[in-house]
Amino acid sequence: MPQSRHPLKLLLLSTSVGALGSGLGGGVELTLKNIAHALQQRGHQITIVAPSNSVLEGVFLVTIAGELQTTAQTQGRDAPITLPNDSVLANMWAYARQHQPDYDLLINFAYDWLPFYVTPFFDRPIAHLVSMGSLTDAMDQVIEQVALEFPGTIAVHSHAQAKTFEFADQCRNVQNGFDLSLYKFCARPKHQLAWVGRIAPEKGLEDAVAAAQIVGTPLKIWGVIQDTAYWNQICADYPDAPIDYCGFLPTSELQHRLGQSQALLMTPRWIEAFGNVAIEALACGVPVIAYRRGGPTEIVRDGETGWLVEPDRVDELVSAISKLDRLDRPACRRQAEAEYSLDAMGDRLEAWFEAILKRV
Ligand code: UDP
């Protein structure tokens, strides 16, 4: 791992929809962890601010009490900005304001209005890593204001995500990076398919369940049940589907069991900003069958490390599953190593920070 020539003091502010380690923060939790480790390995000094009960080993963590934010993806386009009484988000940013002189740069991981709104009032620069595509008008407006007033400070995970915003050309694509040593290659899978993610309507689990029922292959499901009514509806609609809900697992266990799958199915209804689980699967040698929509279209090499299929078409998922033997599991692992290592991510982040700090 190359040591940085200019070690920085960096304050990373986590999402405020859940504690780190709870799974409620979705992909942001692993993204934050990976970024913290990538930067620490290069000699940067990292502090993370996160809600109470957060757990993250090996990084200096400041936990802050308060009420959690609700998740943005459950609201409509015209949803107003809301903050609960004793908001943890507000409390985290009060901490940031007070301690900013100790840092070179602050990095915001929350898809929330407040950190963007307060950006001009801070002395230190703030880099914003936007974790989702366009969801509400109020968010679009506040992110655009920051993009225009502080050029270069907005980053995203894919071009597809950037394109959901009118200010796409102001967004820097940093993709994502993973500690690939934690993911073991599995050459011989079991007779099972996998689906991994928050169980919530925008993730489209029902299509994967329908496909598994048609092909008769067991579908293992891992992830937090964020929307219980949605999950119950799937169980009611597909009582005979060969599905097995296996809970929310830590990375070490998830990669072991995911690795034993013939393929990962990604069936999002929304424009997935990136799709961490795609890289986690590839790193284990598991090909990805994904809807041709959002981040996965920039990850999956169609016909080599997976199949990209017409969105919302269960029949296309079924035909892709029947062609899995044409894909090459070692090529999946090789792609993860070539494009999505912590080192590759570290290079992209350092270049982003350097560009921001040059303008200050
Ligand atoms: N995840 C996990 N354990 C599980 C299931 C999922 O740690 O049992 C994590 C997974 O590693 C990934 C995240 O949940 O980082 C899902 O992120 P993704 O980017 O795929 O989707 P998001 O939830 O952000 O929409």
PDB file of all heavy atoms in Angstrom, residues 23 25-31 73 131-132 178 183 196-198 202-203 222-224 246-251 254 266 270 272 274-278 280, ligand 1:
ATOM      1  N   GLY A  23     -26.705  -2.392   9.755  1.00  0.00           N
ATOM      2  CA  GLY A  23     -27.244  -2.762   8.448  1.00  0.00           C
ATOM      3  C   GLY A  23     -28.273  -1.766   7.930  1.00  0.00           C
ATOM      4  O   GLY A  23     -28.585  -1.752   6.743  1.00  0.00           O
ATOM      5  N   GLY A  25     -27.972   1.320   7.526  1.00  0.00           N
ATOM      6  CA  GLY A  25     -27.338   2.307   6.658  1.00  0.00           C
ATOM      7  C   GLY A  25     -27.062   1.765   5.258  1.00  0.00           C
ATOM      8  O   GLY A  25     -26.532   2.488   4.414  1.00  0.00           O
ATOM      9  N   GLY A  26     -27.423   0.501   4.984  1.00  0.00           N
ATOM     10  CA  GLY A  26     -27.202  -0.088   3.662  1.00  0.00           C
ATOM     11  C   GLY A  26     -25.727  -0.078   3.297  1.00  0.00           C
ATOM     12  O   GLY A  26     -24.842  -0.195   4.169  1.00  0.00           O
ATOM     13  N   GLY A  27     -25.462   0.092   2.006  1.00  0.00           N
ATOM     14  CA  GLY A  27     -24.087   0.029   1.512  1.00  0.00           C
ATOM     15  C   GLY A  27     -23.157   1.074   2.091  1.00  0.00           C
ATOM     16  O   GLY A  27     -21.933   0.888   2.097  1.00  0.00           O
ATOM     17  N   VAL A  28     -23.723   2.170   2.600  1.00  0.00           N
ATOM     18  CA  VAL A  28     -22.877   3.239   3.135  1.00  0.00           C
ATOM     19  C   VAL A  28     -21.992   2.726   4.276  1.00  0.00           C
ATOM     20  O   VAL A  28     -20.845   3.147   4.432  1.00  0.00           O
ATOM     21  CB  VAL A  28     -23.742   4.427   3.644  1.00  0.00           C
ATOM     22  CG1 VAL A  28     -22.885   5.493   4.285  1.00  0.00           C
ATOM     23  CG2 VAL A  28     -24.544   5.022   2.494  1.00  0.00           C
ATOM     24  N   GLU A  29     -22.520   1.774   5.042  1.00  0.00           N
ATOM     25  CA  GLU A  29     -21.747   1.286   6.197  1.00  0.00           C
ATOM     26  C   GLU A  29     -20.430   0.641   5.749  1.00  0.00           C
ATOM     27  O   GLU A  29     -19.361   0.943   6.282  1.00  0.00           O
ATOM     28  CB  GLU A  29     -22.569   0.273   6.989  1.00  0.00           C
ATOM     29  CG  GLU A  29     -23.786   0.904   7.653  1.00  0.00           C
ATOM     30  CD  GLU A  29     -24.544  -0.078   8.535  1.00  0.00           C
ATOM     31  OE1 GLU A  29     -23.929  -1.040   9.028  1.00  0.00           O
ATOM     32  OE2 GLU A  29     -25.750   0.127   8.722  1.00  0.00           O
ATOM     33  N   LEU A  30     -20.528  -0.234   4.753  1.00  0.00           N
ATOM     34  CA  LEU A  30     -19.315  -0.913   4.278  1.00  0.00           C
ATOM     35  C   LEU A  30     -18.421   0.064   3.502  1.00  0.00           C
ATOM     36  O   LEU A  30     -17.192   0.018   3.616  1.00  0.00           O
ATOM     37  CB  LEU A  30     -19.703  -2.103   3.392  1.00  0.00           C
ATOM     38  CG  LEU A  30     -18.552  -2.976   2.901  1.00  0.00           C
ATOM     39  CD1 LEU A  30     -17.812  -3.608   4.078  1.00  0.00           C
ATOM     40  CD2 LEU A  30     -19.064  -4.073   1.965  1.00  0.00           C
ATOM     41  N   THR A  31     -19.044   0.970   2.769  1.00  0.00           N
ATOM     42  CA  THR A  31     -18.279   1.967   2.015  1.00  0.00           C
ATOM     43  C   THR A  31     -17.430   2.800   2.971  1.00  0.00           C
ATOM     44  O   THR A  31     -16.229   3.017   2.744  1.00  0.00           O
ATOM     45  CB  THR A  31     -19.247   2.885   1.232  1.00  0.00           C
ATOM     46  OG1 THR A  31     -20.012   2.070   0.347  1.00  0.00           O
ATOM     47  CG2 THR A  31     -18.512   3.941   0.442  1.00  0.00           C
ATOM     48  N   GLN A  73     -35.215   7.126   0.769  1.00  0.00           N
ATOM     49  CA  GLN A  73     -35.817   6.398  -0.361  1.00  0.00           C
ATOM     50  C   GLN A  73     -37.271   6.018  -0.113  1.00  0.00           C
ATOM     51  O   GLN A  73     -37.932   5.520  -0.997  1.00  0.00           O
ATOM     52  CB  GLN A  73     -34.982   5.163  -0.762  1.00  0.00           C
ATOM     53  CG  GLN A  73     -34.856   4.084   0.267  1.00  0.00           C
ATOM     54  CD  GLN A  73     -33.613   4.263   1.109  1.00  0.00           C
ATOM     55  OE1 GLN A  73     -33.207   5.376   1.379  1.00  0.00           O
ATOM     56  NE2 GLN A  73     -33.000   3.178   1.532  1.00  0.00           N
ATOM     57  N   SER A 131     -24.568   8.973  -1.782  1.00  0.00           N
ATOM     58  CA  SER A 131     -24.708   7.509  -1.843  1.00  0.00           C
ATOM     59  C   SER A 131     -25.909   7.025  -2.639  1.00  0.00           C
ATOM     60  O   SER A 131     -26.060   5.826  -2.857  1.00  0.00           O
ATOM     61  CB  SER A 131     -24.795   6.947  -0.421  1.00  0.00           C
ATOM     62  OG  SER A 131     -25.896   7.525   0.250  1.00  0.00           O
ATOM     63  N   MET A 132     -26.800   7.948  -3.056  1.00  0.00           N
ATOM     64  CA  MET A 132     -27.969   7.518  -3.836  1.00  0.00           C
ATOM     65  C   MET A 132     -28.197   8.490  -4.986  1.00  0.00           C
ATOM     66  O   MET A 132     -27.653   9.597  -4.992  1.00  0.00           O
ATOM     67  CB  MET A 132     -29.215   7.474  -2.944  1.00  0.00           C
ATOM     68  CG  MET A 132     -29.151   6.379  -1.887  1.00  0.00           C
ATOM     69  SD  MET A 132     -30.641   6.216  -0.902  1.00  0.00           S
ATOM     70  CE  MET A 132     -30.401   7.480   0.327  1.00  0.00           C
ATOM     71  N   PHE A 178     -12.755  -2.366  -2.064  1.00  0.00           N
ATOM     72  CA  PHE A 178     -13.019  -3.380  -1.031  1.00  0.00           C
ATOM     73  C   PHE A 178     -11.719  -4.031  -0.564  1.00  0.00           C
ATOM     74  O   PHE A 178     -10.775  -4.142  -1.336  1.00  0.00           O
ATOM     75  CB  PHE A 178     -13.951  -4.460  -1.617  1.00  0.00           C
ATOM     76  CG  PHE A 178     -15.306  -3.906  -1.964  1.00  0.00           C
ATOM     77  CD1 PHE A 178     -15.472  -3.129  -3.110  1.00  0.00           C
ATOM     78  CD2 PHE A 178     -16.400  -4.105  -1.145  1.00  0.00           C
ATOM     79  CE1 PHE A 178     -16.705  -2.578  -3.426  1.00  0.00           C
ATOM     80  CE2 PHE A 178     -17.637  -3.556  -1.448  1.00  0.00           C
ATOM     81  CZ  PHE A 178     -17.793  -2.792  -2.588  1.00  0.00           C
ATOM     82  N   TYR A 183     -12.389 -11.663   1.153  1.00  0.00           N
ATOM     83  CA  TYR A 183     -13.309 -12.440   0.313  1.00  0.00           C
ATOM     84  C   TYR A 183     -12.540 -13.581  -0.338  1.00  0.00           C
ATOM     85  O   TYR A 183     -11.554 -13.357  -1.030  1.00  0.00           O
ATOM     86  CB  TYR A 183     -13.918 -11.535  -0.768  1.00  0.00           C
ATOM     87  CG  TYR A 183     -14.725 -10.382  -0.179  1.00  0.00           C
ATOM     88  CD1 TYR A 183     -14.098  -9.194   0.209  1.00  0.00           C
ATOM     89  CD2 TYR A 183     -16.098 -10.492  -0.003  1.00  0.00           C
ATOM     90  CE1 TYR A 183     -14.823  -8.143   0.759  1.00  0.00           C
ATOM     91  CE2 TYR A 183     -16.830  -9.437   0.546  1.00  0.00           C
ATOM     92  CZ  TYR A 183     -16.184  -8.267   0.918  1.00  0.00           C
ATOM     93  OH  TYR A 183     -16.911  -7.238   1.467  1.00  0.00           O
ATOM     94  N   VAL A 196     -28.781 -10.460  -2.081  1.00  0.00           N
ATOM     95  CA  VAL A 196     -28.233  -9.790  -0.889  1.00  0.00           C
ATOM     96  C   VAL A 196     -28.625  -8.318  -0.904  1.00  0.00           C
ATOM     97  O   VAL A 196     -28.417  -7.627  -1.907  1.00  0.00           O
ATOM     98  CB  VAL A 196     -26.684  -9.890  -0.844  1.00  0.00           C
ATOM     99  CG1 VAL A 196     -26.154  -9.337   0.473  1.00  0.00           C
ATOM    100  CG2 VAL A 196     -26.206 -11.321  -1.047  1.00  0.00           C
ATOM    101  N   GLY A 197     -29.164  -7.828   0.202  1.00  0.00           N
ATOM    102  CA  GLY A 197     -29.464  -6.394   0.283  1.00  0.00           C
ATOM    103  C   GLY A 197     -30.508  -6.091   1.336  1.00  0.00           C
ATOM    104  O   GLY A 197     -31.054  -7.002   1.973  1.00  0.00           O
ATOM    105  N   ARG A 198     -30.775  -4.786   1.513  1.00  0.00           N
ATOM    106  CA  ARG A 198     -31.872  -4.386   2.395  1.00  0.00           C
ATOM    107  C   ARG A 198     -33.166  -4.897   1.783  1.00  0.00           C
ATOM    108  O   ARG A 198     -33.370  -4.749   0.568  1.00  0.00           O
ATOM    109  CB  ARG A 198     -31.942  -2.862   2.506  1.00  0.00           C
ATOM    110  CG  ARG A 198     -30.834  -2.215   3.297  1.00  0.00           C
ATOM    111  CD  ARG A 198     -30.912  -0.697   3.232  1.00  0.00           C
ATOM    112  NE  ARG A 198     -30.738  -0.204   1.874  1.00  0.00           N
ATOM    113  CZ  ARG A 198     -31.706   0.283   1.109  1.00  0.00           C
ATOM    114  NH1 ARG A 198     -32.940   0.367   1.552  1.00  0.00           N
ATOM    115  NH2 ARG A 198     -31.449   0.719  -0.113  1.00  0.00           N
ATOM    116  N   GLU A 202     -37.619  -0.824  -3.149  1.00  0.00           N
ATOM    117  CA  GLU A 202     -36.753  -0.348  -4.237  1.00  0.00           C
ATOM    118  C   GLU A 202     -35.732  -1.401  -4.670  1.00  0.00           C
ATOM    119  O   GLU A 202     -35.096  -1.272  -5.709  1.00  0.00           O
ATOM    120  CB  GLU A 202     -36.035   0.958  -3.840  1.00  0.00           C
ATOM    121  CG  GLU A 202     -35.009   0.857  -2.726  1.00  0.00           C
ATOM    122  CD  GLU A 202     -35.611   1.014  -1.342  1.00  0.00           C
ATOM    123  OE1 GLU A 202     -36.848   0.970  -1.214  1.00  0.00           O
ATOM    124  OE2 GLU A 202     -34.835   1.169  -0.377  1.00  0.00           O
ATOM    125  N   LYS A 203     -35.580  -2.474  -3.861  1.00  0.00           N
ATOM    126  CA  LYS A 203     -34.592  -3.501  -4.189  1.00  0.00           C
ATOM    127  C   LYS A 203     -35.174  -4.652  -5.028  1.00  0.00           C
ATOM    128  O   LYS A 203     -34.433  -5.507  -5.507  1.00  0.00           O
ATOM    129  CB  LYS A 203     -33.969  -4.058  -2.910  1.00  0.00           C
ATOM    130  CG  LYS A 203     -33.241  -3.021  -2.065  1.00  0.00           C
ATOM    131  CD  LYS A 203     -32.070  -2.440  -2.832  1.00  0.00           C
ATOM    132  CE  LYS A 203     -30.808  -2.510  -2.056  1.00  0.00           C
ATOM    133  NZ  LYS A 203     -29.658  -2.035  -2.834  1.00  0.00           N
ATOM    134  N   TRP A 222     -29.921 -12.736   2.023  1.00  0.00           N
ATOM    135  CA  TRP A 222     -29.248 -12.144   3.177  1.00  0.00           C
ATOM    136  C   TRP A 222     -29.488 -10.637   3.203  1.00  0.00           C
ATOM    137  O   TRP A 222     -29.388  -9.982   2.156  1.00  0.00           O
ATOM    138  CB  TRP A 222     -27.724 -12.378   3.117  1.00  0.00           C
ATOM    139  CG  TRP A 222     -27.336 -13.798   3.315  1.00  0.00           C
ATOM    140  CD1 TRP A 222     -27.266 -14.463   4.503  1.00  0.00           C
ATOM    141  CD2 TRP A 222     -26.953 -14.749   2.313  1.00  0.00           C
ATOM    142  NE1 TRP A 222     -26.874 -15.767   4.288  1.00  0.00           N
ATOM    143  CE2 TRP A 222     -26.674 -15.960   2.964  1.00  0.00           C
ATOM    144  CE3 TRP A 222     -26.826 -14.685   0.917  1.00  0.00           C
ATOM    145  CZ2 TRP A 222     -26.258 -17.104   2.290  1.00  0.00           C
ATOM    146  CZ3 TRP A 222     -26.420 -15.827   0.234  1.00  0.00           C
ATOM    147  CH2 TRP A 222     -26.134 -17.018   0.917  1.00  0.00           C
ATOM    148  N   GLY A 223     -29.777 -10.097   4.381  1.00  0.00           N
ATOM    149  CA  GLY A 223     -29.938  -8.647   4.512  1.00  0.00           C
ATOM    150  C   GLY A 223     -30.935  -8.273   5.588  1.00  0.00           C
ATOM    151  O   GLY A 223     -31.721  -9.114   6.037  1.00  0.00           O
ATOM    152  N   VAL A 224     -30.899  -7.018   5.970  1.00  0.00           N
ATOM    153  CA  VAL A 224     -31.820  -6.512   6.995  1.00  0.00           C
ATOM    154  C   VAL A 224     -33.227  -6.407   6.405  1.00  0.00           C
ATOM    155  O   VAL A 224     -33.392  -5.922   5.285  1.00  0.00           O
ATOM    156  CB  VAL A 224     -31.348  -5.113   7.456  1.00  0.00           C
ATOM    157  CG1 VAL A 224     -32.436  -4.376   8.223  1.00  0.00           C
ATOM    158  CG2 VAL A 224     -30.092  -5.233   8.296  1.00  0.00           C
ATOM    159  N   CYS A 246     -31.767 -15.923   5.425  1.00  0.00           N
ATOM    160  CA  CYS A 246     -30.657 -16.333   6.299  1.00  0.00           C
ATOM    161  C   CYS A 246     -30.152 -15.194   7.185  1.00  0.00           C
ATOM    162  O   CYS A 246     -29.055 -15.290   7.753  1.00  0.00           O
ATOM    163  CB  CYS A 246     -29.500 -16.869   5.454  1.00  0.00           C
ATOM    164  SG  CYS A 246     -29.982 -18.081   4.232  1.00  0.00           S
ATOM    165  N   GLY A 247     -30.887 -14.084   7.302  1.00  0.00           N
ATOM    166  CA  GLY A 247     -30.526 -13.014   8.238  1.00  0.00           C
ATOM    167  C   GLY A 247     -29.487 -12.051   7.681  1.00  0.00           C
ATOM    168  O   GLY A 247     -29.134 -12.094   6.501  1.00  0.00           O
ATOM    169  N   PHE A 248     -29.027 -11.166   8.564  1.00  0.00           N
ATOM    170  CA  PHE A 248     -28.001 -10.178   8.214  1.00  0.00           C
ATOM    171  C   PHE A 248     -26.681 -10.640   8.821  1.00  0.00           C
ATOM    172  O   PHE A 248     -26.563 -10.793  10.032  1.00  0.00           O
ATOM    173  CB  PHE A 248     -28.396  -8.800   8.771  1.00  0.00           C
ATOM    174  CG  PHE A 248     -27.376  -7.728   8.500  1.00  0.00           C
ATOM    175  CD1 PHE A 248     -27.296  -7.133   7.244  1.00  0.00           C
ATOM    176  CD2 PHE A 248     -26.485  -7.320   9.483  1.00  0.00           C
ATOM    177  CE1 PHE A 248     -26.354  -6.148   6.979  1.00  0.00           C
ATOM    178  CE2 PHE A 248     -25.543  -6.331   9.235  1.00  0.00           C
ATOM    179  CZ  PHE A 248     -25.482  -5.745   7.977  1.00  0.00           C
ATOM    180  N   LEU A 249     -25.706 -10.912   7.991  1.00  0.00           N
ATOM    181  CA  LEU A 249     -24.453 -11.509   8.468  1.00  0.00           C
ATOM    182  C   LEU A 249     -23.293 -10.522   8.374  1.00  0.00           C
ATOM    183  O   LEU A 249     -23.267  -9.675   7.470  1.00  0.00           O
ATOM    184  CB  LEU A 249     -24.092 -12.737   7.614  1.00  0.00           C
ATOM    185  CG  LEU A 249     -25.084 -13.886   7.565  1.00  0.00           C
ATOM    186  CD1 LEU A 249     -24.531 -15.017   6.706  1.00  0.00           C
ATOM    187  CD2 LEU A 249     -25.408 -14.398   8.967  1.00  0.00           C
ATOM    188  N   PRO A 250     -22.299 -10.653   9.276  1.00  0.00           N
ATOM    189  CA  PRO A 250     -21.071  -9.870   9.100  1.00  0.00           C
ATOM    190  C   PRO A 250     -20.339 -10.332   7.837  1.00  0.00           C
ATOM    191  O   PRO A 250     -20.522 -11.476   7.388  1.00  0.00           O
ATOM    192  CB  PRO A 250     -20.252 -10.183  10.358  1.00  0.00           C
ATOM    193  CG  PRO A 250     -20.843 -11.425  10.916  1.00  0.00           C
ATOM    194  CD  PRO A 250     -22.258 -11.524  10.440  1.00  0.00           C
ATOM    195  N   THR A 251     -19.499  -9.456   7.291  1.00  0.00           N
ATOM    196  CA  THR A 251     -18.823  -9.729   6.013  1.00  0.00           C
ATOM    197  C   THR A 251     -18.144 -11.096   5.980  1.00  0.00           C
ATOM    198  O   THR A 251     -18.245 -11.831   4.991  1.00  0.00           O
ATOM    199  CB  THR A 251     -17.777  -8.628   5.729  1.00  0.00           C
ATOM    200  OG1 THR A 251     -18.462  -7.376   5.688  1.00  0.00           O
ATOM    201  CG2 THR A 251     -17.058  -8.847   4.415  1.00  0.00           C
ATOM    202  N   LEU A 254     -20.828 -13.663   5.548  1.00  0.00           N
ATOM    203  CA  LEU A 254     -21.579 -13.432   4.306  1.00  0.00           C
ATOM    204  C   LEU A 254     -20.769 -13.896   3.101  1.00  0.00           C
ATOM    205  O   LEU A 254     -21.273 -14.609   2.232  1.00  0.00           O
ATOM    206  CB  LEU A 254     -21.922 -11.941   4.179  1.00  0.00           C
ATOM    207  CG  LEU A 254     -22.635 -11.559   2.889  1.00  0.00           C
ATOM    208  CD1 LEU A 254     -24.042 -12.166   2.833  1.00  0.00           C
ATOM    209  CD2 LEU A 254     -22.719 -10.046   2.727  1.00  0.00           C
ATOM    210  N   MET A 266     -29.403  -9.444  -8.926  1.00  0.00           N
ATOM    211  CA  MET A 266     -29.627  -8.041  -8.514  1.00  0.00           C
ATOM    212  C   MET A 266     -30.799  -7.505  -9.329  1.00  0.00           C
ATOM    213  O   MET A 266     -30.686  -7.354 -10.548  1.00  0.00           O
ATOM    214  CB  MET A 266     -28.383  -7.200  -8.757  1.00  0.00           C
ATOM    215  CG  MET A 266     -27.242  -7.559  -7.824  1.00  0.00           C
ATOM    216  SD  MET A 266     -25.848  -6.425  -8.011  1.00  0.00           S
ATOM    217  CE  MET A 266     -26.434  -4.990  -7.123  1.00  0.00           C
ATOM    218  N   TRP A 270     -35.041   0.698  -8.543  1.00  0.00           N
ATOM    219  CA  TRP A 270     -34.510   2.065  -8.630  1.00  0.00           C
ATOM    220  C   TRP A 270     -33.140   2.050  -9.286  1.00  0.00           C
ATOM    221  O   TRP A 270     -32.590   0.977  -9.583  1.00  0.00           O
ATOM    222  CB  TRP A 270     -34.440   2.703  -7.236  1.00  0.00           C
ATOM    223  CG  TRP A 270     -33.368   2.143  -6.309  1.00  0.00           C
ATOM    224  CD1 TRP A 270     -32.679   0.966  -6.435  1.00  0.00           C
ATOM    225  CD2 TRP A 270     -32.880   2.761  -5.112  1.00  0.00           C
ATOM    226  NE1 TRP A 270     -31.803   0.812  -5.386  1.00  0.00           N
ATOM    227  CE2 TRP A 270     -31.898   1.901  -4.565  1.00  0.00           C
ATOM    228  CE3 TRP A 270     -33.152   3.956  -4.446  1.00  0.00           C
ATOM    229  CZ2 TRP A 270     -31.217   2.203  -3.376  1.00  0.00           C
ATOM    230  CZ3 TRP A 270     -32.477   4.234  -3.275  1.00  0.00           C
ATOM    231  CH2 TRP A 270     -31.527   3.377  -2.756  1.00  0.00           C
ATOM    232  N   GLU A 272     -29.796   1.964  -8.803  1.00  0.00           N
ATOM    233  CA  GLU A 272     -28.844   1.635  -7.748  1.00  0.00           C
ATOM    234  C   GLU A 272     -27.595   2.494  -7.971  1.00  0.00           C
ATOM    235  O   GLU A 272     -27.058   2.503  -9.080  1.00  0.00           O
ATOM    236  CB  GLU A 272     -28.498   0.150  -7.908  1.00  0.00           C
ATOM    237  CG  GLU A 272     -27.707  -0.451  -6.830  1.00  0.00           C
ATOM    238  CD  GLU A 272     -28.590  -0.930  -5.692  1.00  0.00           C
ATOM    239  OE1 GLU A 272     -29.544  -1.684  -5.917  1.00  0.00           O
ATOM    240  OE2 GLU A 272     -28.316  -0.500  -4.567  1.00  0.00           O
ATOM    241  N   PHE A 274     -24.567   2.178  -6.873  1.00  0.00           N
ATOM    242  CA  PHE A 274     -23.402   1.361  -7.184  1.00  0.00           C
ATOM    243  C   PHE A 274     -23.800  -0.109  -7.093  1.00  0.00           C
ATOM    244  O   PHE A 274     -23.944  -0.763  -8.106  1.00  0.00           O
ATOM    245  CB  PHE A 274     -22.260   1.688  -6.210  1.00  0.00           C
ATOM    246  CG  PHE A 274     -20.979   0.993  -6.529  1.00  0.00           C
ATOM    247  CD1 PHE A 274     -20.199   1.398  -7.604  1.00  0.00           C
ATOM    248  CD2 PHE A 274     -20.545  -0.081  -5.764  1.00  0.00           C
ATOM    249  CE1 PHE A 274     -19.017   0.736  -7.920  1.00  0.00           C
ATOM    250  CE2 PHE A 274     -19.357  -0.742  -6.069  1.00  0.00           C
ATOM    251  CZ  PHE A 274     -18.596  -0.332  -7.146  1.00  0.00           C
ATOM    252  N   GLY A 275     -24.007  -0.580  -5.859  1.00  0.00           N
ATOM    253  CA  GLY A 275     -24.331  -1.984  -5.651  1.00  0.00           C
ATOM    254  C   GLY A 275     -23.116  -2.705  -5.101  1.00  0.00           C
ATOM    255  O   GLY A 275     -22.481  -3.500  -5.797  1.00  0.00           O
ATOM    256  N   ASN A 276     -22.814  -2.420  -3.832  1.00  0.00           N
ATOM    257  CA  ASN A 276     -21.654  -3.052  -3.198  1.00  0.00           C
ATOM    258  C   ASN A 276     -21.677  -4.562  -3.341  1.00  0.00           C
ATOM    259  O   ASN A 276     -20.636  -5.207  -3.530  1.00  0.00           O
ATOM    260  CB  ASN A 276     -21.649  -2.736  -1.695  1.00  0.00           C
ATOM    261  CG  ASN A 276     -21.082  -1.362  -1.395  1.00  0.00           C
ATOM    262  OD1 ASN A 276     -20.556  -0.699  -2.269  1.00  0.00           O
ATOM    263  ND2 ASN A 276     -21.186  -0.945  -0.149  1.00  0.00           N
ATOM    264  N   VAL A 277     -22.890  -5.129  -3.247  1.00  0.00           N
ATOM    265  CA  VAL A 277     -22.975  -6.585  -3.216  1.00  0.00           C
ATOM    266  C   VAL A 277     -22.489  -7.216  -4.528  1.00  0.00           C
ATOM    267  O   VAL A 277     -22.063  -8.370  -4.534  1.00  0.00           O
ATOM    268  CB  VAL A 277     -24.406  -7.050  -2.851  1.00  0.00           C
ATOM    269  CG1 VAL A 277     -24.776  -6.560  -1.452  1.00  0.00           C
ATOM    270  CG2 VAL A 277     -25.430  -6.595  -3.858  1.00  0.00           C
ATOM    271  N   ALA A 278     -22.536  -6.445  -5.620  1.00  0.00           N
ATOM    272  CA  ALA A 278     -22.029  -6.980  -6.885  1.00  0.00           C
ATOM    273  C   ALA A 278     -20.534  -7.276  -6.759  1.00  0.00           C
ATOM    274  O   ALA A 278     -20.048  -8.332  -7.181  1.00  0.00           O
ATOM    275  CB  ALA A 278     -22.271  -5.984  -8.021  1.00  0.00           C
ATOM    276  N   GLU A 280     -18.822  -7.701  -3.979  1.00  0.00           N
ATOM    277  CA  GLU A 280     -18.595  -8.747  -2.970  1.00  0.00           C
ATOM    278  C   GLU A 280     -18.785 -10.125  -3.601  1.00  0.00           C
ATOM    279  O   GLU A 280     -18.026 -11.056  -3.316  1.00  0.00           O
ATOM    280  CB  GLU A 280     -19.540  -8.533  -1.783  1.00  0.00           C
ATOM    281  CG  GLU A 280     -19.271  -7.204  -1.090  1.00  0.00           C
ATOM    282  CD  GLU A 280     -20.085  -7.031   0.174  1.00  0.00           C
ATOM    283  OE1 GLU A 280     -21.219  -6.532   0.073  1.00  0.00           O
ATOM    284  OE2 GLU A 280     -19.595  -7.414   1.253  1.00  0.00           O
TER     285      GLU A 280
HETATM  286  N1  UDP B   1     -24.801  -6.734   3.912  1.00  0.00           N
HETATM  287  C1  UDP B   1     -24.171  -7.330   4.981  1.00  0.00           C
HETATM  288  N2  UDP B   1     -24.659  -8.494   5.484  1.00  0.00           N
HETATM  289  C2  UDP B   1     -25.753  -9.108   4.957  1.00  0.00           C
HETATM  290  C3  UDP B   1     -26.384  -8.501   3.845  1.00  0.00           C
HETATM  291  C4  UDP B   1     -25.890  -7.320   3.334  1.00  0.00           C
HETATM  292  O1  UDP B   1     -23.171  -6.812   5.505  1.00  0.00           O
HETATM  293  O2  UDP B   1     -26.151 -10.155   5.451  1.00  0.00           O
HETATM  294  C5  UDP B   1     -24.270  -5.463   3.368  1.00  0.00           C
HETATM  295  C6  UDP B   1     -23.474  -5.657   2.108  1.00  0.00           C
HETATM  296  O3  UDP B   1     -22.141  -6.008   2.419  1.00  0.00           O
HETATM  297  C7  UDP B   1     -23.539  -4.287   1.429  1.00  0.00           C
HETATM  298  C8  UDP B   1     -24.816  -3.700   1.978  1.00  0.00           C
HETATM  299  O4  UDP B   1     -25.315  -4.591   2.978  1.00  0.00           O
HETATM  300  O5  UDP B   1     -22.436  -3.464   1.776  1.00  0.00           O
HETATM  301  C9  UDP B   1     -25.830  -3.443   0.880  1.00  0.00           C
HETATM  302  O6  UDP B   1     -25.328  -2.404   0.102  1.00  0.00           O
HETATM  303  P1  UDP B   1     -25.682  -2.147  -1.406  1.00  0.00           P
HETATM  304  O7  UDP B   1     -24.731  -1.098  -1.914  1.00  0.00           O
HETATM  305  O8  UDP B   1     -25.721  -3.403  -2.184  1.00  0.00           O
HETATM  306  O9  UDP B   1     -27.187  -1.554  -1.370  1.00  0.00           O
HETATM  307  P2  UDP B   1     -27.873  -0.372  -0.510  1.00  0.00           P
HETATM  308  O10 UDP B   1     -28.366  -1.009   0.759  1.00  0.00           O
HETATM  309  O11 UDP B   1     -26.846   0.684  -0.246  1.00  0.00           O
HETATM  310  O12 UDP B   1     -29.013   0.093  -1.364  1.00  0.00           O
END
